[in-house]
Amino acid sequence: MSAHGWTTPAREALRVGAGFRLADLDPRETPGYEGSKTTGAADLADGVPTLDDLQERLFAQSVAGTASGSVLLVLQGMDTSGKGGIVRHVVGAVDPQGVELASFKKPTAEELQHDFLWRIAKRLPARGKIGVFDRSHYEDVLIGRVRSLAPADEIERRYGAIERFEADAADRGIRVVKVMLHISKDEQKERLAARLDRPEKHWKYNPGDVDERELWDDYMAAYQVMLERTSTDVAPWFVVPADRKWFARLAVQRLLLAALDDIDPRWPVADYDVEREKERLASS
Amino acid sequence: MSAHGWTTPAREALRVGAGFRLADLDPRETPGYEGSKTTGAADLADGVPTLDDLQERLFAQSVAGTASGSVLLVLQGMDTSGKGGIVRHVVGAVDPQGVELASFKKPTAEELQHDFLWRIAKRLPARGKIGVFDRSHYEDVLIGRVRSLAPADEIERRYGAIERFEADAADRGIRVVKVMLHISKDEQKERLAARLDRPEKHWKYNPGDVDERELWDDYMAAYQVMLERTSTDVAPWFVVPADRKWFARLAVQRLLLAALDDIDPRWPVADYDVEREKERLASS
């Protein structure tokens, strides 16, 4: 992979390590990247053929039954942080046949009758696929914590449960890439205002968004705890400053590329006699 | 919608009506379209923003809870006819969040314990979504018939069952767009040979493809019966000549555009007080 404007690999520059403090990160920063919106867009376009090639190789393995791994991109972030844009502009650049997208809304009555990971486990990506979670089990320690949707000891229990769940997923060959899209409160205000200003964007706005916004500091505190307690070696968190959409998209593309590069999927070798098949085909 | 190289709307030019004979259609034809590969590619690109806009409006309705309709694109065709290319290049141009893709393989043991429509019904698109079936319940009257995978009277029963199933789906607001991608036996030979020639395409080849190829005439006969018996007013078949990939993609895009145009999805109207929300947001 060529590096372009990257001075430090995204995976290093954005990774949550010991002592990370969300409050110290400026959502307008572009850690590890020295470039502008223009070079960022060019670098994003440059990454597409490689992403496409790696994804097709992985998909080929799934068809051939030789895939051992998959990728799971987990997207979290406050309203308007750009999760949908990542799905559209980063993930949307590859063949939809190789992507399994799961969008987690408010749990249904049936889901609430089960452990919080029940609905999540069902949507883990198949071997050879790229899974994308638009929101995830982390809602259960974010809004779950902020709004006290479960008893305190149950919220507490979940951090450990998540760690075991993800360790098990990693053990089965799922590369878990967890991304928090980090926007500032001011940027959110602008984005919400833009939705209210244009009638064709009204559907994207919900009065509840302002209610959640009033709890901004509580959410940031819940994110901080989440990052501290669930950023592990096998499933680290990456905090992507997202006030600049172009940077967020570029960064997530790089993180996906790195995960696929780790898997290094090779084209499957034919499990049939190629020369013999050429003959059979010729005489058919 | 602008017409470009179309002399007759795709929906009319490609529709299977009374007396349609598959054997009379040349897979290299471009019915209703006077143009070249070059103009075809330009027209395909021209269609993307409109498709994108219509799809986003439909998706907006699904989010707002006001969607009354959805679209279901059913893709059938012999191996190498280009179903995957349609998914990639036509459907892949819109936001993946609004698409529900189902790829039907050989039924599982569990699926075989149920009626053939059981697994199909589960994958019908939600309101406001574009569903895509890569293969479908029609396999059960195609390979099912050619290979006698079920008793003759059961195969016979299925045509009527499909008609009722689709009439019911249409009744519930699903616009069913059924496309047979029609390639010639010679073109298939070339496409299979190309897969054998390139190691990175070997995974796309299966020795079983030649076995099915040997039954070409039986398949064409099964397709003919299928077209005669299941092309209805509410769920007509469109046969798209597919030896020219550019035409097949363009034609399917036009069929999708026409279906979405019928729905004519409008941006949802805010169910909250916009001015009041502007104030709440401003003071938040």
Side-chain angles (χ1 to χ4, degrees):
Chain A
M1 292 191 290
S2 54
H4 304 286
W6 291 94
T7 53
T8 311
R11 194 140 59 154
E12 289 171 35
L14 303 168
R15 183 174 178 146
V16 172
F20 176 87
R21 291 196 60 232
L22 188 58
D24 294 342
L25 182 64
D26 179 350
R28 294 190 65 80
E29 271 183 54
T30 62
Y33 188 77
E34 284 187 1
S36 62
K37 185 172 179 175
T38 311
T39 66
D43 283 348
L44 184 71
D46 274 4
V48 170
T50 310
L51 188 63
D52 202 42
D53 177 66
L54 287 166
Q55 184 274 329
E56 196 188 357
R57 288 165 183 257
L58 192 66
F59 182 71
Q61 293 188 329
S62 81
V63 172
T66 60
S68 58
S70 57
V71 172
L72 173 61
L73 175 65
V74 175
L75 295 172
Q76 284 292 154
M78 298 296 282
D79 281 328
T80 77
S81 61
K83 298 181 292 293
I86 297 288
V87 172
R88 177 76 213 265
H89 298 283
V90 180
V91 179
V94 306
D95 192 338
Q97 294 168 96
V99 175
E100 292 179 0
L101 175 62
S103 197
F104 293 99
K105 316 280 185 198
K106 198 177 155 190
T108 64
E110 186 191 19
E111 287 167 351
L112 287 171
Q113 294 299 317
H114 294 269
D115 180 65
F116 76 109
L117 291 171
W118 180 73
R119 64 175 186 161
I120 305 295
K122 290 198 286 185
R123 306 301 296 273
L124 286 174
R127 280 187 281 272
K129 296 293 179 73
I130 297 178
V132 180
F133 284 180
D134 177 359
R135 302 189 186 269
S136 67
H137 43 302
Y138 285 102
E139 291 296 320
D140 298 288
V141 292
L142 290 167
I143 191 171
R145 185 183 181 99
V146 171
R147 293 266 181 200
S148 301
L149 300 180
D153 59 346
E154 164 61 11
I155 300 283
E156 201 55 29
R157 188 191 69 81
R158 288 177 182 170
Y159 298 100
I162 288 172
E163 190 181 332
R164 289 187 297 276
F165 176 75
E166 292 178 354
D168 182 59
D171 210 46
R172 287 183 280 154
I174 301 176
R175 307 247 161 196
V176 186
V177 179
K178 302 188 294 195
V179 170
M180 177 198 175
L181 296 172
H182 183 40
I183 54 167
S184 63
K185 198 176 174 189
D186 286 346
E187 178 70 18
Q188 189 194 54
K189 191 178 216 168
E190 279 184 34
R191 293 185 187 180
L192 287 174
R195 290 178 179 183
L196 285 170
D197 278 343
R198 298 171 57 194
E200 72 273 26
K201 299 289 179 196
H202 284 171
W203 65 277
K204 291 191 172 187
Y205 180 90
N206 189 313
D209 297 347
V210 172
D211 301 333
E212 296 308 296
R213 184 173 161 75
E214 307 280 5
L215 300 168
W216 188 273
D217 292 344
D218 295 338
Y219 272 102
M220 290 307 111
Y223 269 107
Q224 176 67 34
V225 175
M226 173 196 87
L227 295 169
E228 279 169 22
R229 300 194 51 182
T230 64
S231 195
T232 60
D233 283 346
V234 294
W237 272 105
F238 301 95
V239 176
V240 174
D243 273 10
R244 302 175 197 257
K245 285 183 184 172
W246 66 264
F247 177 71
R249 291 171 189 175
L250 178 65
V252 175
Q253 187 197 58
R254 296 297 290 191
L255 293 171
L256 271 181
L257 281 167
L260 285 160
D261 223 40
D262 276 350
I263 296 178
D264 189 19
R266 308 298 174 95
W267 293 115
V269 174
D271 59 359
Y272 50 83
D273 181 335
V274 176
E275 293 311 315
R276 174 151 182 276
E277 290 303 320
K278 284 183 183 174
E279 285 163 26
R280 283 183 71 219
L281 176 63
S283 64
S284 74
Chain B
M1 291 190 291
S2 54
H4 302 290
W6 291 93
T7 54
T8 310
R11 192 138 63 150
E12 289 171 33
L14 302 168
R15 181 173 179 147
V16 171
F20 176 87
R21 290 195 62 232
L22 188 58
D24 294 341
L25 182 65
D26 180 349
R28 292 189 67 78
E29 271 183 53
T30 62
Y33 189 78
E34 282 187 1
S36 62
K37 185 172 179 175
T38 311
T39 65
D43 283 347
L44 184 71
D46 274 4
V48 170
T50 310
L51 189 63
D52 203 41
D53 177 65
L54 287 166
Q55 184 275 329
E56 197 189 357
R57 287 165 184 256
L58 192 67
F59 181 70
Q61 294 188 329
S62 81
V63 172
T66 62
S68 58
S70 57
V71 172
L72 173 61
L73 175 66
V74 174
L75 295 172
Q76 284 292 155
M78 298 295 284
D79 280 329
T80 77
S81 59
K83 298 182 291 294
I86 297 287
V87 172
R88 178 76 213 265
H89 298 282
V90 180
V91 180
V94 305
D95 192 337
Q97 293 168 97
V99 175
E100 293 181 359
L101 175 64
S103 196
F104 293 99
K105 316 280 184 198
K106 197 175 154 189
T108 64
E110 186 192 19
E111 288 167 350
L112 287 171
Q113 295 298 315
H114 293 268
D115 179 64
F116 76 111
L117 291 172
W118 180 73
R119 64 176 185 159
I120 305 295
K122 291 198 286 184
R123 306 300 295 273
L124 286 174
R127 280 186 283 272
K129 297 293 180 76
I130 297 178
V132 180
F133 283 180
D134 177 1
R135 301 186 187 271
S136 67
H137 44 302
Y138 285 102
E139 290 295 319
D140 298 288
V141 292
L142 291 167
I143 190 170
R145 184 183 181 100
V146 171
R147 294 269 181 199
S148 300
L149 300 180
D153 59 346
E154 163 62 11
I155 301 282
E156 201 55 29
R157 187 191 70 80
R158 289 177 181 170
Y159 298 100
I162 288 173
E163 192 181 332
R164 287 188 298 277
F165 177 76
E166 292 178 354
D168 183 60
D171 211 44
R172 286 184 281 152
I174 301 177
R175 307 247 161 194
V176 186
V177 179
K178 301 188 294 195
V179 170
M180 176 198 177
L181 296 172
H182 183 40
I183 55 166
S184 65
K185 197 175 175 188
D186 286 349
E187 178 70 19
Q188 189 194 55
K189 190 178 218 168
E190 277 184 36
R191 293 184 186 180
L192 287 173
R195 292 179 177 182
L196 285 169
D197 278 343
R198 299 170 57 192
E200 74 272 26
K201 299 289 179 197
H202 284 170
W203 64 278
K204 290 191 172 188
Y205 180 90
N206 188 312
D209 298 345
V210 171
D211 301 333
E212 296 307 298
R213 185 174 159 75
E214 306 280 6
L215 300 169
W216 189 272
D217 293 344
D218 295 338
Y219 272 102
M220 291 305 112
Y223 270 106
Q224 176 67 36
V225 175
M226 172 195 88
L227 295 170
E228 279 168 23
R229 300 195 51 182
T230 63
S231 196
T232 60
D233 283 345
V234 294
W237 272 104
F238 300 95
V239 176
V240 174
D243 273 12
R244 302 176 197 258
K245 284 183 186 172
W246 66 264
F247 177 72
R249 290 170 191 177
L250 178 65
V252 175
Q253 187 198 56
R254 296 295 291 191
L255 294 171
L256 271 182
L257 282 168
L260 285 160
D261 224 38
D262 277 350
I263 296 178
D264 189 20
R266 307 297 173 97
W267 293 115
V269 174
D271 60 359
Y272 49 84
D273 180 336
V274 176
E275 293 310 315
R276 174 152 183 274
E277 290 303 319
K278 282 182 183 174
E279 285 162 27
R280 283 183 72 219
L281 176 63
S283 65
S284 73

